[in-house]
Each structure stands twice: as structure tokens, then as C-alpha cells.
Short mmCIF file of all heavy atoms in Angstrom, two decimals:
data_model
loop_
_atom_site.label_atom_id
_atom_site.label_comp_id
_atom_site.label_asym_id
_atom_site.label_seq_id
_atom_site.Cartn_x
_atom_site.Cartn_y
_atom_site.Cartn_z
N GLN G 80 -40.82 15.52 69.67
CA GLN G 80 -41.40 16.72 69.06
C GLN G 80 -41.60 17.82 70.09
O GLN G 80 -41.19 18.99 69.87
CB GLN G 80 -42.73 16.38 68.40
CG GLN G 80 -43.40 17.57 67.74
CD GLN G 80 -44.71 17.22 67.11
OE1 GLN G 80 -45.39 16.27 67.51
NE2 GLN G 80 -45.13 17.98 66.12
N ARG G 81 -42.12 17.50 71.24
CA ARG G 81 -42.37 18.50 72.29
C ARG G 81 -41.06 19.10 72.81
O ARG G 81 -40.96 20.31 72.99
CB ARG G 81 -43.15 17.89 73.45
CG ARG G 81 -44.56 17.62 73.11
CD ARG G 81 -45.31 17.01 74.27
NE ARG G 81 -46.68 16.71 73.92
CZ ARG G 81 -47.44 15.89 74.54
NH1 ARG G 81 -46.99 15.23 75.61
NH2 ARG G 81 -48.69 15.65 74.13
N VAL G 82 -40.07 18.25 73.02
CA VAL G 82 -38.78 18.75 73.54
C VAL G 82 -38.13 19.70 72.53
O VAL G 82 -37.68 20.80 72.87
CB VAL G 82 -37.83 17.58 73.87
CG1 VAL G 82 -36.41 18.07 74.10
CG2 VAL G 82 -38.33 16.80 75.06
N LEU G 83 -38.12 19.31 71.27
CA LEU G 83 -37.47 20.14 70.24
C LEU G 83 -38.25 21.43 69.99
O LEU G 83 -37.65 22.48 69.80
CB LEU G 83 -37.26 19.33 68.97
CG LEU G 83 -36.25 18.19 69.10
CD1 LEU G 83 -36.35 17.24 67.92
CD2 LEU G 83 -34.84 18.74 69.29
N GLN G 84 -39.58 21.35 70.02
CA GLN G 84 -40.38 22.57 69.84
C GLN G 84 -40.17 23.51 71.00
O GLN G 84 -40.14 24.75 70.80
CB GLN G 84 -41.86 22.23 69.69
CG GLN G 84 -42.19 21.67 68.33
CD GLN G 84 -43.63 21.23 68.18
OE1 GLN G 84 -44.30 20.89 69.17
NE2 GLN G 84 -44.12 21.21 66.96
N SER G 85 -40.01 22.97 72.21
CA SER G 85 -39.80 23.85 73.37
C SER G 85 -38.47 24.62 73.26
O SER G 85 -38.29 25.65 73.93
CB SER G 85 -39.84 23.02 74.67
OG SER G 85 -38.66 22.27 74.82
N GLU G 86 -37.55 24.11 72.44
CA GLU G 86 -36.28 24.78 72.21
C GLU G 86 -36.35 25.73 71.04
O GLU G 86 -35.37 26.31 70.63
CB GLU G 86 -35.17 23.74 72.00
CG GLU G 86 -34.88 22.91 73.21
CD GLU G 86 -34.31 23.71 74.36
OE1 GLU G 86 -33.50 24.63 74.11
OE2 GLU G 86 -34.69 23.41 75.52
N GLY G 87 -37.55 25.88 70.43
CA GLY G 87 -37.76 26.84 69.36
C GLY G 87 -37.67 26.30 67.95
O GLY G 87 -37.77 27.05 66.99
N HIS G 88 -37.49 25.01 67.81
CA HIS G 88 -37.38 24.41 66.48
C HIS G 88 -38.78 24.18 65.87
O HIS G 88 -39.75 23.96 66.60
CB HIS G 88 -36.66 23.04 66.56
CG HIS G 88 -35.27 23.17 67.08
ND1 HIS G 88 -34.22 23.65 66.34
CD2 HIS G 88 -34.75 22.84 68.31
CE1 HIS G 88 -33.14 23.62 67.07
NE2 HIS G 88 -33.43 23.13 68.27
N THR G 89 -38.83 24.24 64.55
CA THR G 89 -40.04 23.81 63.83
C THR G 89 -39.90 22.32 63.60
O THR G 89 -38.90 21.85 63.06
CB THR G 89 -40.11 24.55 62.48
OG1 THR G 89 -40.13 25.96 62.72
CG2 THR G 89 -41.33 24.11 61.69
N VAL G 90 -40.88 21.57 64.04
CA VAL G 90 -40.78 20.11 64.01
C VAL G 90 -41.98 19.51 63.32
O VAL G 90 -43.11 19.78 63.67
CB VAL G 90 -40.67 19.51 65.42
CG1 VAL G 90 -40.52 18.01 65.38
CG2 VAL G 90 -39.49 20.14 66.18
N LEU G 91 -41.73 18.68 62.32
CA LEU G 91 -42.76 17.88 61.66
C LEU G 91 -42.43 16.43 61.98
O LEU G 91 -41.29 16.09 62.26
CB LEU G 91 -42.74 18.08 60.15
CG LEU G 91 -43.49 19.31 59.65
CD1 LEU G 91 -42.72 20.57 59.98
CD2 LEU G 91 -43.76 19.19 58.18
N THR G 92 -43.46 15.58 61.93
CA THR G 92 -43.27 14.18 62.28
C THR G 92 -43.85 13.27 61.20
O THR G 92 -44.76 13.65 60.47
CB THR G 92 -43.89 13.79 63.64
OG1 THR G 92 -45.32 13.95 63.55
CG2 THR G 92 -43.33 14.66 64.76
N ALA G 93 -43.32 12.07 61.15
CA ALA G 93 -43.82 11.02 60.25
C ALA G 93 -43.81 9.72 61.04
O ALA G 93 -42.89 9.46 61.80
CB ALA G 93 -42.94 10.90 59.02
N ALA G 94 -44.85 8.92 60.83
CA ALA G 94 -45.04 7.69 61.60
C ALA G 94 -44.28 6.49 61.01
O ALA G 94 -44.19 5.46 61.64
CB ALA G 94 -46.52 7.35 61.69
N ASP G 95 -43.75 6.63 59.80
CA ASP G 95 -42.97 5.53 59.21
C ASP G 95 -42.10 6.08 58.08
O ASP G 95 -42.15 7.26 57.73
CB ASP G 95 -43.89 4.44 58.71
CG ASP G 95 -44.89 4.89 57.66
OD1 ASP G 95 -44.57 5.72 56.81
OD2 ASP G 95 -46.04 4.39 57.68
N GLY G 96 -41.25 5.22 57.55
CA GLY G 96 -40.33 5.66 56.50
C GLY G 96 -40.97 6.16 55.25
O GLY G 96 -40.51 7.13 54.63
N GLU G 97 -42.07 5.53 54.83
CA GLU G 97 -42.76 5.99 53.62
C GLU G 97 -43.28 7.40 53.80
O GLU G 97 -43.11 8.26 52.90
CB GLU G 97 -43.92 5.05 53.31
CG GLU G 97 -43.50 3.70 52.83
CD GLU G 97 -44.68 2.78 52.56
OE1 GLU G 97 -45.40 3.04 51.58
OE2 GLU G 97 -44.88 1.84 53.34
N GLU G 98 -43.91 7.68 54.93
CA GLU G 98 -44.41 9.03 55.18
C GLU G 98 -43.25 10.02 55.30
O GLU G 98 -43.34 11.13 54.83
CB GLU G 98 -45.23 9.01 56.49
CG GLU G 98 -45.88 10.32 56.80
CD GLU G 98 -46.67 10.30 58.09
OE1 GLU G 98 -46.82 9.25 58.73
OE2 GLU G 98 -47.16 11.40 58.49
N GLY G 99 -42.18 9.57 55.91
CA GLY G 99 -41.00 10.42 56.03
C GLY G 99 -40.44 10.83 54.67
O GLY G 99 -40.12 12.01 54.44
N ILE G 100 -40.33 9.90 53.75
CA ILE G 100 -39.83 10.22 52.41
C ILE G 100 -40.79 11.15 51.69
O ILE G 100 -40.37 12.08 51.01
CB ILE G 100 -39.56 8.91 51.60
CG1 ILE G 100 -38.31 8.23 52.19
CG2 ILE G 100 -39.38 9.21 50.13
CD1 ILE G 100 -37.97 6.90 51.60
N ARG G 101 -42.10 10.96 51.88
CA ARG G 101 -43.06 11.90 51.24
C ARG G 101 -42.83 13.32 51.80
O ARG G 101 -42.85 14.30 51.04
CB ARG G 101 -44.50 11.46 51.52
CG ARG G 101 -44.96 10.33 50.61
CD ARG G 101 -46.46 10.11 50.63
NE ARG G 101 -46.98 9.83 51.95
CZ ARG G 101 -47.08 8.66 52.50
NH1 ARG G 101 -46.64 7.57 51.85
NH2 ARG G 101 -47.59 8.50 53.71
N CYS G 102 -42.60 13.43 53.10
CA CYS G 102 -42.33 14.77 53.69
C CYS G 102 -41.07 15.35 53.07
O CYS G 102 -41.02 16.56 52.76
CB CYS G 102 -42.16 14.64 55.20
SG CYS G 102 -43.63 14.28 56.12
N LEU G 103 -40.01 14.54 52.92
CA LEU G 103 -38.77 15.03 52.36
C LEU G 103 -38.92 15.46 50.91
O LEU G 103 -38.20 16.34 50.45
CB LEU G 103 -37.69 13.93 52.45
CG LEU G 103 -37.17 13.65 53.84
CD1 LEU G 103 -36.47 12.31 53.92
CD2 LEU G 103 -36.22 14.76 54.28
N GLU G 104 -39.84 14.85 50.19
CA GLU G 104 -40.10 15.23 48.80
C GLU G 104 -40.89 16.54 48.70
O GLU G 104 -40.84 17.20 47.67
CB GLU G 104 -40.81 14.10 48.07
CG GLU G 104 -39.89 12.91 47.85
CD GLU G 104 -40.61 11.71 47.30
OE1 GLU G 104 -41.86 11.63 47.38
OE2 GLU G 104 -39.92 10.81 46.80
N GLN G 105 -41.60 16.91 49.76
CA GLN G 105 -42.45 18.09 49.73
C GLN G 105 -41.80 19.30 50.38
O GLN G 105 -42.15 20.44 50.04
CB GLN G 105 -43.78 17.80 50.44
CG GLN G 105 -44.60 16.76 49.71
CD GLN G 105 -45.82 16.32 50.52
OE1 GLN G 105 -46.09 16.82 51.59
NE2 GLN G 105 -46.57 15.39 49.99
N GLU G 106 -40.90 19.09 51.33
CA GLU G 106 -40.32 20.19 52.08
C GLU G 106 -38.84 19.92 52.34
O GLU G 106 -38.39 18.79 52.24
CB GLU G 106 -41.01 20.38 53.42
CG GLU G 106 -42.50 20.66 53.33
CD GLU G 106 -43.13 20.95 54.67
OE1 GLU G 106 -42.54 21.74 55.42
OE2 GLU G 106 -44.19 20.40 54.94
N SER G 107 -38.11 20.99 52.66
CA SER G 107 -36.71 20.82 53.03
C SER G 107 -36.57 20.91 54.54
O SER G 107 -37.33 21.60 55.24
CB SER G 107 -35.85 21.87 52.35
OG SER G 107 -36.22 23.17 52.77
N PHE G 108 -35.57 20.21 55.08
CA PHE G 108 -35.33 20.15 56.50
C PHE G 108 -33.84 20.35 56.75
O PHE G 108 -33.00 19.97 55.95
CB PHE G 108 -35.78 18.79 57.07
CG PHE G 108 -37.24 18.54 56.93
CD1 PHE G 108 -37.75 17.92 55.83
CD2 PHE G 108 -38.12 18.95 57.92
CE1 PHE G 108 -39.13 17.72 55.68
CE2 PHE G 108 -39.49 18.75 57.83
CZ PHE G 108 -39.96 18.12 56.69
N ASP G 109 -33.55 20.93 57.92
CA ASP G 109 -32.17 21.08 58.35
C ASP G 109 -31.63 19.79 58.94
O ASP G 109 -30.44 19.49 58.81
CB ASP G 109 -32.04 22.20 59.37
CG ASP G 109 -32.50 23.53 58.84
OD1 ASP G 109 -31.99 23.94 57.81
OD2 ASP G 109 -33.42 24.15 59.44
N LEU G 110 -32.52 19.04 59.57
CA LEU G 110 -32.11 17.83 60.30
C LEU G 110 -33.23 16.82 60.24
O LEU G 110 -34.42 17.16 60.32
CB LEU G 110 -31.84 18.18 61.77
CG LEU G 110 -31.51 17.04 62.72
CD1 LEU G 110 -30.14 16.44 62.40
CD2 LEU G 110 -31.55 17.53 64.16
N VAL G 111 -32.87 15.55 60.08
CA VAL G 111 -33.82 14.43 60.14
C VAL G 111 -33.37 13.48 61.25
O VAL G 111 -32.19 13.08 61.28
CB VAL G 111 -33.91 13.68 58.82
CG1 VAL G 111 -34.82 12.47 58.94
CG2 VAL G 111 -34.44 14.61 57.69
N ILE G 112 -34.27 13.18 62.15
CA ILE G 112 -34.03 12.17 63.18
C ILE G 112 -34.94 10.98 62.82
O ILE G 112 -36.15 11.13 62.77
CB ILE G 112 -34.38 12.70 64.58
CG1 ILE G 112 -33.55 13.93 64.91
CG2 ILE G 112 -34.22 11.60 65.62
CD1 ILE G 112 -33.98 14.66 66.16
N THR G 113 -34.30 9.84 62.57
CA THR G 113 -35.12 8.70 62.11
C THR G 113 -34.80 7.43 62.91
O THR G 113 -33.66 7.18 63.31
CB THR G 113 -34.88 8.40 60.62
OG1 THR G 113 -35.77 7.36 60.20
CG2 THR G 113 -33.47 8.03 60.28
N ASP G 114 -35.85 6.67 63.15
CA ASP G 114 -35.72 5.33 63.69
C ASP G 114 -35.07 4.50 62.57
O ASP G 114 -35.20 4.80 61.39
CB ASP G 114 -37.12 4.79 64.03
CG ASP G 114 -37.12 3.48 64.76
OD1 ASP G 114 -36.03 2.92 64.98
OD2 ASP G 114 -38.21 3.01 65.13
N ILE G 115 -34.37 3.46 62.92
CA ILE G 115 -33.77 2.59 61.93
C ILE G 115 -34.70 1.42 61.60
O ILE G 115 -34.96 1.14 60.42
CB ILE G 115 -32.39 2.04 62.42
CG1 ILE G 115 -31.42 3.21 62.60
CG2 ILE G 115 -31.83 1.01 61.46
CD1 ILE G 115 -31.10 3.97 61.35
N MET G 116 -35.20 0.75 62.59
CA MET G 116 -36.04 -0.44 62.37
C MET G 116 -37.50 -0.07 62.31
O MET G 116 -38.13 0.20 63.34
CB MET G 116 -35.79 -1.45 63.53
CG MET G 116 -34.36 -1.86 63.69
SD MET G 116 -33.63 -2.60 62.23
CE MET G 116 -34.44 -4.18 62.26
N MET G 117 -38.01 0.03 61.10
CA MET G 117 -39.43 0.33 60.87
C MET G 117 -39.96 -0.69 59.89
O MET G 117 -39.29 -1.66 59.58
CB MET G 117 -39.60 1.76 60.34
CG MET G 117 -39.18 2.83 61.36
SD MET G 117 -39.45 4.52 60.78
CE MET G 117 -38.06 4.72 59.67
N GLY G 118 -41.14 -0.46 59.40
CA GLY G 118 -41.81 -1.42 58.50
C GLY G 118 -41.11 -1.56 57.16
O GLY G 118 -39.91 -1.83 57.10
N ALA G 119 -41.84 -1.39 56.10
CA ALA G 119 -41.36 -1.66 54.74
C ALA G 119 -40.19 -0.74 54.34
O ALA G 119 -39.30 -1.15 53.62
CB ALA G 119 -42.49 -1.49 53.74
#
């Protein structure tokens, strides 16, 4: 988040896949960077 924000990007974060999908349902994003191995 810090590295990408320092380059001028707007960055939101999610701590797991469920939270990430909730974010995607509420807002649009140009790019998603996701971990593969997470919880449920």
C-alpha cells in the first residue's frame, strides 16, 4: 500500500478474500492484487 501510494495511486486494502469481494461489490478498481492462499 505504501509503495503504490507513493507512486500516486489510490489504494484500498482488504485482509482476506471475503473483505476483498465486499470491496469489489461497493467500488470499482483498475487493478486488484491478491494473495492466492487465504482462508475460506
Side-chain angles (χ1 to χ4, degrees):
Q80 180 181 26
R81 287 180 183 160
V82 168
L83 293 167
Q84 285 176 334
S85 74
E86 294 295 322
H88 299 285
T89 301
V90 181
L91 278 73
T92 64
D95 58 38
E97 290 178 71
E98 184 180 355
I100 288 175
R101 282 194 303 273
C102 290
L103 287 162
E104 290 173 341
Q105 295 172 1
E106 300 187 45
S107 62
F108 296 90
D109 300 305
L110 175 69
V111 175
I112 300 171
T113 185
D114 188 357
I115 296 298
M116 304 301 287
M117 294 183 283

